[in-house]
Amino acid sequence: ITLFAQNNNSYYSEMNNELKINMSNLIGFKWLDIGYERILNEESSIGFGTLISLDNSIEGLDEYRTFSLTPYYRHFFSNKYAQGFFVEAFTMLHTGKYEEYYYNDNDPHNSRFDDHKYTDLAVGISVGGKWVTKRGFIAEIYGGIGRDMIGNSDTEVVGRGGVSIGYRFQ
């Protein structure tokens, strides 16, 4: 009698690349937020997200950001291959612009708004969950917070999060 045993994760271990789009950022803020993730093993991955603002007039949680590049490392806490609950460490290089109001005490009619551009680097942590179907469809939800390290931006804290959909492939 010959028996063949097969690991349930062998199918998933061959699929180690993911492409995703953050739908909540696209709908809520008009940010094109796309990402790539590379599965390292059953419990960890690395990746990056690129965010581009499509409409700078939108006000929201982080309306000043116009571009960001966010590399990250994820560690999964599940029996399933690179999915389930995860904790993520990230860095975020981000640029943007904000307005500063200058009030002229001597002549209030000469008060003005000045535009300022910035580039800053944040370090942060996120938590979330990822689900993958047998055919490779991905849905994930995550949220996190980071602190600006350089201090060039008007805000000291950046947010990271959303609801993403995507595809896992070889």
Side-chain angles (χ1 to χ4, degrees):
I1 297 176
T2 305
L3 298 174
F4 292 97
Q6 185 173 331
N7 184 351
N8 289 340
N9 289 333
S10 64
Y11 173 74
Y12 293 111
S13 63
E14 295 173 5
M15 300 170 58
N16 52 14
N17 297 290
E18 295 179 358
L19 286 176
K20 300 174 275 193
I21 184 167
N22 188 325
M23 294 304 294
S24 59
N25 280 346
L26 183 62
I27 295 167
F29 302 108
K30 287 190 176 178
W31 285 342
L32 179 60
D33 187 356
I34 55 174
Y36 170 79
E37 190 169 339
R38 174 77 176 173
I39 309 301
L40 300 175
N41 56 43
E42 63 274 358
E43 59 185 27
S44 63
S45 66
I46 57 173
F48 66 90
T50 303
L51 180 144
I52 301 168
S53 177
L54 301 175
D55 184 357
N56 295 337
S57 67
I58 301 288
E59 293 188 9
L61 299 173
D62 195 358
E63 72 263 21
Y64 305 118
R65 191 182 326 163
T66 57
F67 174 81
S68 70
L69 183 61
T70 309
Y72 59 85
Y73 169 80
R74 286 183 176 172
H75 189 84
F76 295 92
F77 298 89
S78 171
N79 292 332
K80 297 183 178 180
Y81 189 84
Q83 60 180 305
F85 176 75
F86 63 82
V87 175
E88 167 188 286
F90 71 87
T91 59
M92 180 187 293
L93 178 66
H94 61 107
T95 62
K97 57 186 173 181
Y98 62 93
E99 291 181 340
E100 193 167 12
Y101 182 70
Y102 293 99
Y103 181 75
N104 188 336
D105 288 331
N106 297 330
D107 186 5
H109 296 291
N110 284 335
S111 299
R112 68 184 192 282
F113 284 98
D114 284 345
D115 287 333
H116 297 280
K117 294 183 179 182
Y118 71 86
T119 299
D120 215 323
L121 179 70
V123 176
I125 190 164
S126 301
V127 296
K130 179 190 291 190
W131 300 270
V132 183
T133 68
K134 290 180 182 179
R135 297 189 189 268
F137 177 77
I138 300 167
E140 69 179 29
I141 185 168
Y142 62 98
I145 192 167
R147 166 87 50 196
D148 280 337
M149 294 291 148
I150 300 173
N152 288 340
S153 70
D154 196 30
T155 59
E156 296 179 14
V157 176
V158 296
R160 173 162 163 73
V163 177
S164 295
I165 58 172
Y167 185 70
R168 184 179 284 184
F169 58 96
Q170 273 188 321

